[in-house]
Amino acid sequence: MSNNQVDMFCYQCSQAGNETGCTKIGMCGKNQTIAKLQDNLLFAIKGISAYNYLLNEFGVNDTEIDEFLTEGLYATLTNTNFDLQSLIDYGLKAGKINLLVMTLLKKTHIDNYGEPSPETVNIGAIKGPGILVTGHDLKSLEKLLEQTEGKGINIYTHSEMLPAHGYPELKKYDHLVGQLGGPWFDQKMIFDKYNVAILGTTNCVLTPPKNSYNERMFTIDPVNLPGVEHIDGYDFTPLIDKAIELGDLQEEEKTTLTTGFGLGVILSFADKIKELVVGGKIRRFFLVGGCDSPLPKTNYYREFVEELPKDTVVLTLGCGKYRFNDLDLGDIEGIPRLIDLGQCNDAIVAVDLAVALCELFELELNELPLTIVCSWMEQKAVAILWSLLSLGKEDILLGPILPAWANDDIANYLVETFNLTPIGDPKHDIKSILG
């Protein structure tokens, strides 16, 4: 930080009545809060940009989104914005823009691949050469499926690609055979275990890649890894050739997961859902999802879902679902108790569902029998959190740790304004919600 910038910070503190002011080696509490809010805005912009990039790949652009990304990034310059309320307002605006970009991306996915429907997905290898696709980029997966059709290569998804199996125009390919592995952070183990060619799309790739697979891994989009070949455009010839060269995987015992519950599918049961809620057979909905991480504290989410009574329904999305999506929770008169809404890109489905439930029960958002339990990890989670806050959603449980950009001042604001609550003990949290 230049001396001029330090002097400006000191001036701001003196104007605010701060007796201590700033020093030449640090910033006072107020300006630490400003810096934290600027960090928050940067994280939100990164999350929005991740969605916007995928949207742009389909040739869809939106002026409002693009203008906000420019303005918001400019507002994070150290010597541009010193106003706390303005930066909070930018966070809320980022949330609204994120709702817009997610809405457009979901519409684009449905326009291109159809409305998702429930699909049971095999987890495990079958005999034959394979390609494993990780990330969030459905267009890359589609192009790969087109180019491998009839070549005897099995295509597997990993992590956030799981919901691809629910889209009619993707699951029509017989060689989209299943999933290998679970959340993003198991990739070094999974990529090492299965001798297949690997395609890394979008974020959530781990570096450095292990020597055991770096020569059979490829990247696309802005994703780059040291020692890994990058594919420009959608010509997957090197990836396909590598898969054939590697030869067959062997058949293994499989488990299954269910994905693909689109908004239309859920709303087709609207009358039944209303009947069950009014009749006291569904007491509450819990949206338990977000980002997963290898932190021990994320075991909370599995314990939370295991402890929920049988008259509750769990909605989930993002890779956070891998903490518990192997559980058999059964159903309530035909309504599944565990409903996978998709990847983090599909968070808008949860928002649209909440709006639909408001209309169904003639209630305001915070009056719904709906609790959000959000697992926290990366930039898109920042954008999604502010999207929920921009809608005025209160009483969100957040963990496993509070965001790094939330110092005491920001945390107090979020608690006082939205009753944002850190997760605690699963049994205690459930009791405090259900009584």
mmCIF file of all heavy atoms in Angstrom, residues 352-368:
data_model
loop_
_atom_site.group_PDB
_atom_site.id
_atom_site.type_symbol
_atom_site.label_atom_id
_atom_site.label_comp_id
_atom_site.label_asym_id
_atom_site.label_seq_id
_atom_site.Cartn_x
_atom_site.Cartn_y
_atom_site.Cartn_z
ATOM 1 N N ASP A 352 -36.128 -21.198 -7.144
ATOM 2 C CA ASP A 352 -37.415 -21.264 -7.854
ATOM 3 C C ASP A 352 -38.405 -22.166 -7.110
ATOM 4 O O ASP A 352 -39.615 -21.891 -7.075
ATOM 5 C CB ASP A 352 -37.215 -21.786 -9.270
ATOM 6 C CG ASP A 352 -36.494 -20.788 -10.165
ATOM 7 O OD1 ASP A 352 -36.459 -19.592 -9.809
ATOM 8 O OD2 ASP A 352 -35.950 -21.204 -11.198
ATOM 9 N N LEU A 353 -37.895 -23.235 -6.521
ATOM 10 C CA LEU A 353 -38.767 -24.126 -5.761
ATOM 11 C C LEU A 353 -39.309 -23.430 -4.524
ATOM 12 O O LEU A 353 -40.499 -23.566 -4.188
ATOM 13 C CB LEU A 353 -37.997 -25.393 -5.364
ATOM 14 C CG LEU A 353 -38.752 -26.418 -4.523
ATOM 15 C CD1 LEU A 353 -40.003 -26.893 -5.246
ATOM 16 C CD2 LEU A 353 -37.853 -27.604 -4.180
ATOM 17 N N ALA A 354 -38.449 -22.662 -3.850
ATOM 18 C CA ALA A 354 -38.902 -21.918 -2.678
ATOM 19 C C ALA A 354 -39.994 -20.919 -3.050
ATOM 20 O O ALA A 354 -40.998 -20.776 -2.338
ATOM 21 C CB ALA A 354 -37.728 -21.203 -2.024
ATOM 22 N N VAL A 355 -39.805 -20.243 -4.172
ATOM 23 C CA VAL A 355 -40.824 -19.295 -4.648
ATOM 24 C C VAL A 355 -42.128 -20.025 -4.944
ATOM 25 O O VAL A 355 -43.223 -19.559 -4.600
ATOM 26 C CB VAL A 355 -40.315 -18.548 -5.904
ATOM 27 C CG1 VAL A 355 -41.441 -17.722 -6.527
ATOM 28 C CG2 VAL A 355 -39.140 -17.646 -5.548
ATOM 29 N N ALA A 356 -42.007 -21.196 -5.588
ATOM 30 C CA ALA A 356 -43.207 -21.982 -5.914
ATOM 31 C C ALA A 356 -43.913 -22.452 -4.644
ATOM 32 O O ALA A 356 -45.153 -22.457 -4.584
ATOM 33 C CB ALA A 356 -42.818 -23.171 -6.784
ATOM 34 N N LEU A 357 -43.136 -22.829 -3.626
ATOM 35 C CA LEU A 357 -43.746 -23.246 -2.359
ATOM 36 C C LEU A 357 -44.443 -22.072 -1.671
ATOM 37 O O LEU A 357 -45.487 -22.250 -1.031
ATOM 38 C CB LEU A 357 -42.688 -23.848 -1.439
ATOM 39 C CG LEU A 357 -42.121 -25.214 -1.848
ATOM 40 C CD1 LEU A 357 -40.979 -25.626 -0.922
ATOM 41 C CD2 LEU A 357 -43.196 -26.276 -1.867
ATOM 42 N N CYS A 358 -43.868 -20.888 -1.793
ATOM 43 C CA CYS A 358 -44.530 -19.686 -1.252
ATOM 44 C C CYS A 358 -45.910 -19.508 -1.870
ATOM 45 O O CYS A 358 -46.893 -19.213 -1.172
ATOM 46 C CB CYS A 358 -43.671 -18.448 -1.515
ATOM 47 S SG CYS A 358 -42.181 -18.320 -0.504
ATOM 48 N N GLU A 359 -45.974 -19.682 -3.176
ATOM 49 C CA GLU A 359 -47.252 -19.544 -3.875
ATOM 50 C C GLU A 359 -48.197 -20.683 -3.496
ATOM 51 O O GLU A 359 -49.406 -20.465 -3.306
ATOM 52 C CB GLU A 359 -47.013 -19.528 -5.385
ATOM 53 C CG GLU A 359 -46.205 -18.316 -5.862
ATOM 54 C CD GLU A 359 -45.864 -18.387 -7.334
ATOM 55 O OE1 GLU A 359 -46.203 -19.413 -7.975
ATOM 56 O OE2 GLU A 359 -45.250 -17.435 -7.850
ATOM 57 N N LEU A 360 -47.642 -21.889 -3.376
ATOM 58 C CA LEU A 360 -48.463 -23.053 -3.074
ATOM 59 C C LEU A 360 -49.131 -22.924 -1.713
ATOM 60 O O LEU A 360 -50.323 -23.246 -1.549
ATOM 61 C CB LEU A 360 -47.598 -24.324 -3.116
ATOM 62 C CG LEU A 360 -48.299 -25.659 -2.886
ATOM 63 C CD1 LEU A 360 -49.273 -25.962 -4.020
ATOM 64 C CD2 LEU A 360 -47.270 -26.784 -2.763
ATOM 65 N N PHE A 361 -48.368 -22.430 -0.728
ATOM 66 C CA PHE A 361 -48.892 -22.344 0.643
ATOM 67 C C PHE A 361 -49.339 -20.933 1.019
ATOM 68 O O PHE A 361 -49.761 -20.712 2.152
ATOM 69 C CB PHE A 361 -47.829 -22.832 1.632
ATOM 70 C CG PHE A 361 -47.500 -24.288 1.498
ATOM 71 C CD1 PHE A 361 -46.297 -24.695 0.946
ATOM 72 C CD2 PHE A 361 -48.404 -25.256 1.895
ATOM 73 C CE1 PHE A 361 -45.987 -26.038 0.809
ATOM 74 C CE2 PHE A 361 -48.116 -26.597 1.768
ATOM 75 C CZ PHE A 361 -46.902 -26.999 1.215
ATOM 76 N N GLU A 362 -49.217 -19.995 0.074
ATOM 77 C CA GLU A 362 -49.598 -18.599 0.298
ATOM 78 C C GLU A 362 -48.889 -18.040 1.529
ATOM 79 O O GLU A 362 -49.507 -17.468 2.431
ATOM 80 C CB GLU A 362 -51.125 -18.480 0.432
ATOM 81 C CG GLU A 362 -51.869 -18.922 -0.817
ATOM 82 C CD GLU A 362 -53.381 -18.790 -0.688
ATOM 83 O OE1 GLU A 362 -53.862 -18.548 0.440
ATOM 84 O OE2 GLU A 362 -54.080 -18.913 -1.709
ATOM 85 N N LEU A 363 -47.565 -18.228 1.540
ATOM 86 C CA LEU A 363 -46.725 -17.778 2.642
ATOM 87 C C LEU A 363 -45.569 -16.947 2.105
ATOM 88 O O LEU A 363 -45.188 -17.067 0.940
ATOM 89 C CB LEU A 363 -46.159 -18.976 3.421
ATOM 90 C CG LEU A 363 -47.158 -19.875 4.154
ATOM 91 C CD1 LEU A 363 -46.437 -21.111 4.685
ATOM 92 C CD2 LEU A 363 -47.846 -19.128 5.285
ATOM 93 N N GLU A 364 -45.000 -16.111 2.976
ATOM 94 C CA GLU A 364 -43.769 -15.397 2.630
ATOM 95 C C GLU A 364 -42.585 -16.360 2.775
ATOM 96 O O GLU A 364 -42.686 -17.408 3.428
ATOM 97 C CB GLU A 364 -43.577 -14.183 3.543
ATOM 98 C CG GLU A 364 -44.655 -13.124 3.411
ATOM 99 C CD GLU A 364 -44.702 -12.497 2.027
ATOM 100 O OE1 GLU A 364 -43.613 -12.286 1.447
ATOM 101 O OE2 GLU A 364 -45.817 -12.240 1.536
ATOM 102 N N LEU A 365 -41.457 -15.977 2.172
ATOM 103 C CA LEU A 365 -40.292 -16.857 2.137
ATOM 104 C C LEU A 365 -39.881 -17.333 3.527
ATOM 105 O O LEU A 365 -39.636 -18.527 3.748
ATOM 106 C CB LEU A 365 -39.118 -16.141 1.459
ATOM 107 C CG LEU A 365 -37.807 -16.929 1.354
ATOM 108 C CD1 LEU A 365 -38.004 -18.212 0.559
ATOM 109 C CD2 LEU A 365 -36.715 -16.062 0.716
ATOM 110 N N ASN A 366 -39.806 -16.413 4.481
ATOM 111 C CA ASN A 366 -39.348 -16.778 5.816
ATOM 112 C C ASN A 366 -40.427 -17.434 6.669
ATOM 113 O O ASN A 366 -40.166 -17.835 7.803
ATOM 114 C CB ASN A 366 -38.775 -15.556 6.534
ATOM 115 C CG ASN A 366 -37.456 -15.124 5.926
ATOM 116 O OD1 ASN A 366 -36.562 -15.937 5.712
ATOM 117 N ND2 ASN A 366 -37.331 -13.833 5.614
ATOM 118 N N GLU A 367 -41.628 -17.558 6.129
ATOM 119 C CA GLU A 367 -42.698 -18.283 6.811
ATOM 120 C C GLU A 367 -42.771 -19.745 6.376
ATOM 121 O O GLU A 367 -43.446 -20.539 7.023
ATOM 122 C CB GLU A 367 -44.050 -17.609 6.531
ATOM 123 C CG GLU A 367 -44.170 -16.195 7.071
ATOM 124 C CD GLU A 367 -45.451 -15.494 6.628
ATOM 125 O OE1 GLU A 367 -45.988 -15.864 5.553
ATOM 126 O OE2 GLU A 367 -45.909 -14.596 7.346
ATOM 127 N N LEU A 368 -42.085 -20.080 5.287
ATOM 128 C CA LEU A 368 -42.120 -21.455 4.790
ATOM 129 C C LEU A 368 -41.507 -22.426 5.798
ATOM 130 O O LEU A 368 -40.574 -22.065 6.517
ATOM 131 C CB LEU A 368 -41.326 -21.567 3.483
ATOM 132 C CG LEU A 368 -41.954 -21.088 2.188
ATOM 133 C CD1 LEU A 368 -40.951 -21.275 1.051
ATOM 134 C CD2 LEU A 368 -43.242 -21.838 1.879
#
